[in-house]
Amino acid sequence: MVKSKSTKKQLSEFDIIQQFFQRKKKSRTDVLLGIGDDAALLKPPAGQALAVSMDTLVAGVHFPLDTAAVAIGYKSLAVNLSDMAAMGAQPAWVTLGLTLPVVDKKWLAGFSEGFFALVDQFGLQLVGGDITRGEQLTITVQIHGFVPFRLALTRHGAEVGDRIYVTGTLGDAGGALRLLTGGVGQIGGLGVLSLPFMLRNPASHKSPALTSCKGVRRMRLTPTVLASCARQGTRLRATPRVKSVKSEQQYLFNRLDCPTARVLEGVALRGMASGVIDISDGLMGDLGHILAASGVGATVWVDRLPLSPALLAYCTADEAIECAMGGGDDYELCFTVPVNKVKKLERRFAKFKCGIRCVGIIEKKKGLRLQRTNGEKFLSRQQGFQHF
């Protein structure tokens, strides 16, 4: 018996835009014309520099294949917001490019919910983009923000004697990857995703890219819970679907899937920091960019790195340091500050829950040296995530 073909209508590109990405009301007065025309018309504020950044996320490279759609939507915007934070810019407009293997309404609903949770939290507006079909799930986001030109944060101002600070805790995302891979393979950049996952459970909300990734699941995020979380500025990982998953694992997975962009902290660094970068590829690699741009070297005191109790519950101290130096995906800020501004910096940052920690010093001698505060050298295997 031949089965009849489904007559269910396939959503077109414009149907997808209208149903999941086009909002009826403008959320910003500086958007003169948004989605629906050949281009957006935008009005930058007078006296402000326009900061522009773009990031592309590829399934299986930049996020685990079993990641919930709502978390992918959330993270795809969070990593761009982190770039704005590193420039001291106030984010405003965003464009979105989606390459989809198939059109899945449930996945699109989850993705847009996670994406718009951060849009609403930071007062942004989605002003355009593109949707196309392709073999691999790929998300490209471009973000635009404003910053007074003379107050913009850059990588190239670090000077000898400056202190090196970081926000939050480091290595949590790398720790989550160690859990997912059983602690084997390279830490960092999600390059380990071809290895067997540690936590397995039937997927209940698979991405359209997951046709070859059956039976893999960590936890399930619901769009409503995540949106509520974003509005409150808190991190959350939904109730575990695997009973053996402990709260420490929950915390680490959340740090991987739903990083917090330090936008307000970046603005607070205006006129304070001499060099700034967001930690996307691990402290070793990203601090190295500041050193190269500024023509200086540095020593990092590895036993001063801020490491979470959750990470230390699954790693030795040295393994946690390795996660911090090369794990990537933390999206905290690394910045340098002149000694005469340290006290003012610490007073200004007392209001932020994430906290800051001095972890090193800028030096004249080129290169990055790792040591403990007692002077003992620390030899790391990490170099930071390399995209190629």
Side-chain angles (χ1 to χ4, degrees), residues 10-11 16 57-60 63 65 69 72 97-105 107-108 111 130-139 206-213:
Q10 176 76 31
L11 289 180
I16 294 171
L57 303 183
V58 180
F63 54 87
L65 293 175
I72 298 172
L98 273 179
T99 299
L100 302 171
V102 297
V103 175
D104 182 322
K105 287 185 178 181
W107 188 91
L108 286 165
F111 177 90
D130 190 29
I131 298 175
T132 187
R133 183 186 296 273
E135 293 184 1
Q136 192 165 15
L137 174 64
T138 305
I139 303 108
K206 294 184 291 186
S207 155
L210 303 187
T211 54
S212 62
C213 191

Side-chain angles (χ1 to χ4, degrees), residues 265-288:
E265 291 85 347
V267 172
L269 286 175
R270 291 177 182 176
M272 192 75 61
S274 54
V276 187
I277 193 169
D278 73 321
I279 304 173
S280 57
D281 298 326
L283 180 61
M284 181 174 286
D286 289 321
L287 175 57

Side-chain angles (χ1 to χ4, degrees), residues 22-347:
Q22 188 169 10
R23 289 176 156 183
K24 293 181 180 180
K25 294 182 179 180
K26 292 194 302 181
S27 56
R28 297 184 60 93
T29 58
D30 52 15
V31 177
L32 306 180
L33 182 64
I35 294 174
D37 221 298
D38 289 312
L41 297 178
L42 311 170
K43 186 179 180 181
Q48 300 278 311
L50 181 64
V52 181
S53 182
M54 178 187 292
D55 273 296
T56 294
L57 303 183
V58 180
V61 177
H62 300 97
F63 54 87
L65 293 175
D66 71 320
T67 306
V70 64
I72 298 172
Y74 189 100
K75 187 171 184 176
S76 66
L77 183 50
V79 301
N80 281 266
L81 286 165
S82 186
D83 287 332
M84 292 291 102
M87 301 298 293
Q90 189 66 49
W93 312 317
V94 63
T95 59
L96 170 66
L98 273 179
T99 299
L100 302 171
V102 297
V103 175
D104 182 322
K105 287 185 178 181
K106 189 175 181 180
W107 188 91
L108 286 165
F111 177 90
S112 63
E113 188 78 23
F115 187 87
F116 281 111
L118 283 182
V119 166
D120 293 338
Q121 181 184 346
F122 287 97
L124 313 179
Q125 184 167 335
L126 179 64
V127 298
D130 190 29
I131 298 175
T132 187
R133 183 186 296 273
E135 293 184 1
Q136 192 165 15
L137 174 64
T138 305
I139 303 108
T140 298
V141 174
Q142 185 176 59
I143 194 167
H144 309 73
F146 313 130
V147 59
F149 177 70
R150 296 185 181 278
L151 295 178
L153 306 176
T154 68
R155 302 177 181 181
H156 62 254
E159 297 184 353
V160 174
D162 287 358
R163 297 313 193 250
I164 303 167
Y165 279 80
V166 296
T167 60
T169 58
L170 304 183
D172 294 325
L177 289 172
R178 285 178 63 89
L179 287 172
L180 291 174
T181 62
V184 295
Q186 176 191 355
I187 303 170
L190 305 181
V192 294
L193 295 180
S194 60
L195 298 171
F197 286 140
M198 183 179 179
L199 304 176
R200 294 180 178 274
N201 196 53
S204 61
H205 190 153
K206 294 184 291 186
S207 155
L210 303 187
T211 54
S212 62
C213 191
K214 296 179 180 180
V216 181
R217 190 65 194 160
R218 296 195 303 279
M219 304 175 189
R220 187 168 183 269
L221 283 165
T222 65
T224 302
V225 170
L226 183 55
S228 174
C229 232
R231 286 193 295 270
Q232 297 175 41
T234 56
R235 300 187 181 98
L236 181 68
R237 187 80 191 175
T239 304
R241 293 179 57 82
V242 181
K243 291 183 179 180
S244 62
V245 174
K246 299 178 180 179
S247 60
E248 292 90 352
Q249 291 182 14
Q250 183 174 351
Y251 176 83
L252 296 178
F253 289 142
N254 170 66
R255 289 279 281 159
L256 173 64
D257 285 347
C258 304
T260 298
R262 304 298 184 188
V263 174
L264 297 180
E265 291 85 347
V267 172
L269 286 175
R270 291 177 182 176
M272 192 75 61
S274 54
V276 187
I277 193 169
D278 73 321
I279 304 173
S280 57
D281 298 326
L283 180 61
M284 181 174 286
D286 289 321
L287 175 57
H289 294 315
I290 290 180
L291 302 183
S294 302
V296 293
T299 290
V300 167
W301 305 302
V302 296
D303 47 358
R304 288 191 182 180
L305 294 174
L307 307 172
S308 71
L311 179 61
L312 292 170
Y314 292 98
C315 298
T316 66
D318 283 1
E319 288 171 341
I321 290 170
E322 294 281 9
C323 287
M325 296 307 300
D329 276 81
D330 287 317
Y331 296 100
E332 297 292 348
L333 296 179
C334 172
F335 54 97
T336 58
V337 179
V339 176
N340 62 2
K341 293 184 178 181
V342 163
K343 289 185 178 179
K344 185 177 180 181
L345 168 80
E346 294 182 348
R347 287 196 301 269

